[in-house]
Amino acid sequence: MSFAWPWQYSFPPFFTLQPNGETRQKQLSAWCALALAYSRRHRLPAMTVREAQDSPLFANRRLQRKLPLESIQVVLEELRKNGNLEWLDKNKTSFLIMWRRPEEWGKLIYQWVSKNGLTNSVFTLYELASGDDTENEEFHGLDETMLLRALQALQQEHKAEIITLDDGRGVKFF
Amino acid sequence: MDRFAWTSGLLELGETLVVQQRGVRLCDGEEKVKFDSGVLLLSTHRLIWRDQKNHECCIAIPLSQIVFIEEQAAGIGKSAKIVVHLHPASSNKEPGPFQSSKYSYIKLSFKEHGQIEFYRRLSEEMTQRRWENMPAGQTIQVNKDPRAGRIRAVGIVGIERKLEEKRKETDKNISEAKEMVELSKSIANKIKEKQGDITEDETIRFKSYLLSMGIANPVTRETYGSGTHYHMQLAKQLAGILQTPLEERGGIMSLTEVYCLVNRARGLELLSPEDLVNACKMLESLKLPLRLRIFDSGVMVIELQSHNEEEMVASALETVSEKGSLTADEFAKLVGMSVLLAKERLLLAEKMGHLCRDDSVEGLRFYPNLFLTQS
């Protein structure tokens, strides 16, 4: 199924950062929603800002409009403020868009754990993300990077602990 | 010529420059003297002559020395002159170029014209005798005379005069720079402290003094508090002149359009941009049927009181919606407005949230603000 672009994507002003405050807020919300939907659909891996500039996400070839660099940075900052983006380096050249925040993943995982009475159990990361038991769960197939961040969030809440096992890493739930 | 004394040419405290003229020769009675080419300055207190070639050479005579003045028309090969009859020199006069003279009058010869204006101004000063109210050299006193003098910076000539004054004073001031800077700072502070209390007369005199020292406008806030009677009159005049043109142009005109229109009508006595702006600032407070409006971009316009730009915005939105999107140029053509005002209207519509912009290499276009209207 092809990606459903929102109406804003065909609206030229969408690619100019609006000076009017109220208008800009609406515009940025739309950009954030689009970025998250796009990243989810295309399973976007970590990206550099350079790559972002050329991505169809920010450059509509048909419309002949692209969001300028400074504006892209405003959108990325907005995503970061909402908890949906993480910079991977100090110089802010690469980033990861998390269409679902790590805390939200963690919540889903913990819900499954407690629903099935699996607290105090230990799992390998593989079992969690790719095991038969989790096949119907939303977090099934989650890539390791995101899975780790989700578990780290749970760790912060003292609901889990990431441990080292013989052949990799695992997690214990409380 | 023995009534003249050497001077630095700097104006004293309380002394204001009234008018000046280049190309003036001094004559001792009927005889020519070496002062053949200079700038003649008339202040509220003195007549000052400075050599154009040698700025160090500067002489002055107090106006109180003058008994009466006469005009002498120009002739073939002869410049127009003013004959100035003088009282005998006082015994405590400062040293000057001449110890004695057999004449009791001098002649001012205007080789580069300007005699008529100068004569008029000199006569005025002789009538008003302002030097009696404001002894120069002392601390500033309030002038109760309602007919306050001022420098009319009229049009280009006014600007040229100011520049000339500044340049010459700067030459003289180089050696006394430090002293002058201190003095000007203290005056500027006095102005600041007296903000709100200071009368129009005092403000003008302060400004004139600083101008004579080569400092432009010391008072940075431009509220109509600094307006003068002249500007008030001018404002009323403008209201009369502009009513019809405004109505013909949809109730709004840019200030540059107004400037051109008004000066074209006035012909000779041109209005300086500063005077126009200062007069316009008073329009609203004088309850005249027009007002000055300054947009965010800094563009200044005159509007009829009855004109409502915000309402015009609603119709602008309709026009843009009909066409899908418009640039300022396209909008101006459609509506029959100047591009400058068309752009301001579109910007106002954007500010009010009715339009949004598309800024690309193709130019700046305005669209209806679907961000707010479309969910």
Side-chain angles (χ1 to χ4, degrees):
Chain A
M1 190 182 81
S2 64
F3 182 69
W5 294 99
W7 67 265
Q8 289 96 335
Y9 191 68
S10 317
F11 188 47
F14 194 47
F15 295 85
T16 302
L17 194 59
Q18 296 298 317
N20 178 311
E22 208 190 329
T23 312
R24 178 185 293 209
Q25 273 314 110
K26 287 271 151 66
Q27 181 191 25
L28 285 177
S29 301
W31 269 115
C32 288
L34 174 57
L36 296 183
Y38 187 85
S39 127
R40 176 177 189 170
R41 182 66 164 70
H42 291 85
R43 297 177 166 268
L44 278 191
M47 246 187 162
T48 63
V49 176
R50 179 75 253 167
E51 287 165 343
Q53 276 183 284
D54 299 326
S55 152
L57 170 58
F58 292 116
N60 185 336
R61 222 157 290 252
R62 192 183 56 80
L63 202 65
Q64 299 215 304
R65 292 284 187 280
K66 31 197 306 195
L67 199 60
L69 179 59
E70 311 81 49
S71 309
I72 292 180
Q73 282 168 338
V74 172
V75 174
L76 296 181
E77 174 56 18
E78 196 71 12
L79 286 167
R80 187 199 65 80
K81 276 199 280 195
N82 297 339
N84 290 113
L85 182 142
E86 203 182 286
W87 287 108
L88 300 172
D89 65 322
K90 245 194 321 219
N91 298 327
K92 296 200 179 178
T93 53
S94 335
F95 59 90
L96 179 68
I97 296 182
M98 306 175 290
W99 61 268
R100 186 172 259 151
R101 301 202 318 269
E103 303 79 35
E104 291 165 337
W105 282 120
K107 195 161 161 204
L108 282 175
I109 294 173
Y110 196 77
Q111 269 171 8
W112 174 79
V113 164
S114 46
K115 197 168 67 176
N116 292 290
L118 294 164
T119 49
N120 291 310
S121 324
V122 173
F123 292 86
T124 63
L125 296 190
Y126 179 81
E127 279 175 320
L128 257 189
S130 315
D132 297 332
D133 292 337
T134 64
E135 218 176 284
N136 297 319
E137 298 308 311
E138 282 197 60
F139 57 83
H140 187 84
L142 191 60
D143 66 278
E144 191 165 306
T145 329
M146 275 318 298
L147 181 57
L148 264 172
R149 279 172 173 69
L151 296 175
Q152 274 158 358
L154 282 178
Q155 193 164 252
Q156 292 265 337
E157 295 170 41
H158 306 292
K159 291 186 171 150
E161 189 188 328
I162 301 172
I163 53 184
T164 328
L165 302 169
D166 295 329
D167 49 350
R169 275 178 291 192
V171 57
K172 176 168 182 183
F173 292 101
F174 300 117
Chain B
M1 279 301 296
D2 61 333
R3 278 65 155 182
F4 275 96
W6 293 111
T7 179
S8 62
L10 296 168
L11 296 182
E12 312 273 347
L13 284 177
E15 184 181 7
T16 316
L17 185 65
V18 175
V19 70
Q20 65 179 12
Q21 178 60 47
R22 291 171 55 87
V24 177
R25 154 191 257 126
L26 297 181
C27 298
D28 184 25
E30 298 303 317
E31 289 170 14
K32 290 196 173 137
V33 289
K34 62 180 181 187
F35 301 111
D36 68 342
S37 185
V39 181
L40 186 64
L41 298 102
L42 171 66
S43 80
T44 43
H45 292 62
R46 300 179 287 169
L47 205 54
I48 305 170
W49 185 94
R50 179 185 291 122
D51 194 322
Q52 271 166 228
K53 292 186 223 89
N54 173 18
H55 294 170
E56 298 284 315
C57 174
C58 193
I59 52 176
I61 193 169
L63 294 182
S64 50
Q65 286 284 142
I66 301 176
V67 179
F68 75 98
I69 56 177
E70 294 179 289
E71 284 184 275
Q72 207 171 70
I76 303 170
K78 287 188 183 173
S79 321
K81 295 181 179 56
I82 298 178
V83 184
V84 184
H85 296 268
L86 303 164
H87 289 295
S90 53
S91 48
N92 60 352
K93 177 183 87 66
E94 302 282 324
F98 288 84
Q99 299 309 104
S100 66
S101 166
K102 59 185 193 214
Y103 297 97
S104 64
Y105 64 94
I106 55 168
K107 288 193 183 182
L108 313 171
S109 181
F110 291 80
K111 300 193 291 187
E112 289 179 30
H113 310 291
Q115 174 256 0
I116 298 174
E117 172 77 359
F118 205 94
Y119 181 80
R120 186 172 75 77
R121 297 306 203 113
L122 184 50
S123 308
E124 241 180 66
E125 292 306 316
M126 296 297 301
T127 316
Q128 290 188 18
R129 305 181 78 82
R130 287 191 279 173
W131 65 86
E132 287 174 357
N133 298 334
M134 308 183 288
Q138 296 180 8
T139 48
I140 296 173
Q141 295 170 15
V142 176
N143 185 11
K144 303 282 190 255
D145 184 343
R147 297 163 299 166
R150 52 181 292 282
I151 298 176
R152 285 267 302 272
V154 178
I156 294 174
V157 175
I159 296 169
E160 279 181 359
R161 279 186 196 158
K162 274 194 196 166
L163 289 175
E164 267 277 299
E165 277 175 59
K166 280 190 210 171
R167 191 174 56 76
K168 292 191 169 144
E169 292 301 340
T170 309
D171 286 349
K172 290 248 127 203
N173 284 349
I174 282 171
S175 53
E176 297 168 11
K178 190 168 180 200
E179 214 179 282
M180 284 297 116
V181 168
E182 291 308 314
L183 188 53
S184 69
K185 274 189 191 158
S186 92
I187 291 173
N189 282 333
K190 278 195 188 141
I191 292 178
K192 258 198 260 175
E193 284 165 36
K194 292 191 108 192
Q195 256 177 11
D197 293 347
I198 203 165
T199 67
E200 285 173 16
D201 291 359
E202 285 174 284
T203 309
I204 295 158
R205 231 175 300 124
F206 274 123
K207 281 187 184 179
S208 309
Y209 176 50
L210 288 174
L211 199 63
S212 78
M213 291 197 296
I215 294 162
N217 194 349
V219 179
T220 52
R221 66 164 193 157
E222 293 281 338
T223 65
Y224 61 75
S226 64
T228 66
H229 186 68
Y230 168 67
H231 292 129
M232 251 194 277
Q233 290 303 106
L234 187 51
K236 293 184 188 151
Q237 221 179 64
L238 287 173
I241 301 173
L242 295 173
Q243 184 76 27
T244 313
L246 277 171
E247 285 165 9
E248 288 170 359
R249 287 164 177 74
I252 185 169
M253 279 171 81
S254 75
L255 202 58
T256 31
E257 287 177 84
V258 169
Y259 179 79
C260 293
L261 202 137
V262 166
N263 273 333
R264 229 174 273 138
R266 285 167 72 102
L268 284 180
E269 269 225 353
L270 298 182
L271 216 50
S272 76
E274 295 127 326
D275 281 338
L276 178 64
V277 174
N278 288 331
C280 288
K281 284 180 176 165
M282 303 184 81
L283 287 170
E284 195 142 23
S285 63
L286 291 174
K287 307 249 191 298
L288 292 164
L290 10 151
R291 61 172 168 241
L292 174 68
R293 180 178 182 152
I294 304 179
F295 287 113
D296 292 344
S297 59
V299 165
M300 297 196 266
V301 298
I302 300 295
E303 291 184 319
L304 285 174
Q305 280 288 356
S306 55
H307 179 87
N308 188 333
E309 189 65 11
E310 279 72 9
E311 276 173 11
M312 306 309 290
V313 158
S315 91
L317 173 57
E318 262 187 63
T319 313
V320 174
S321 305
E322 269 171 44
K323 300 286 179 186
S325 73
L326 288 173
T327 63
D329 274 357
E330 292 165 354
F331 181 64
K333 274 205 197 76
L334 264 178
V335 178
M337 277 179 97
S338 71
V339 180
L340 181 77
L341 294 181
K343 179 142 189 213
E344 286 306 321
R345 186 164 293 173
L346 293 174
L347 287 174
L348 184 59
E350 181 189 44
K351 185 174 171 182
M352 292 168 67
H354 297 306
L355 296 178
C356 59
R357 66 168 61 189
D358 164 39
D359 202 349
S360 71
V361 291
E362 295 171 23
L364 178 61
R365 295 194 144 266
F366 289 89
Y367 285 74
N369 190 356
L370 298 183
F371 292 111
L372 294 185
T373 56
Q374 205 147 315
S375 54

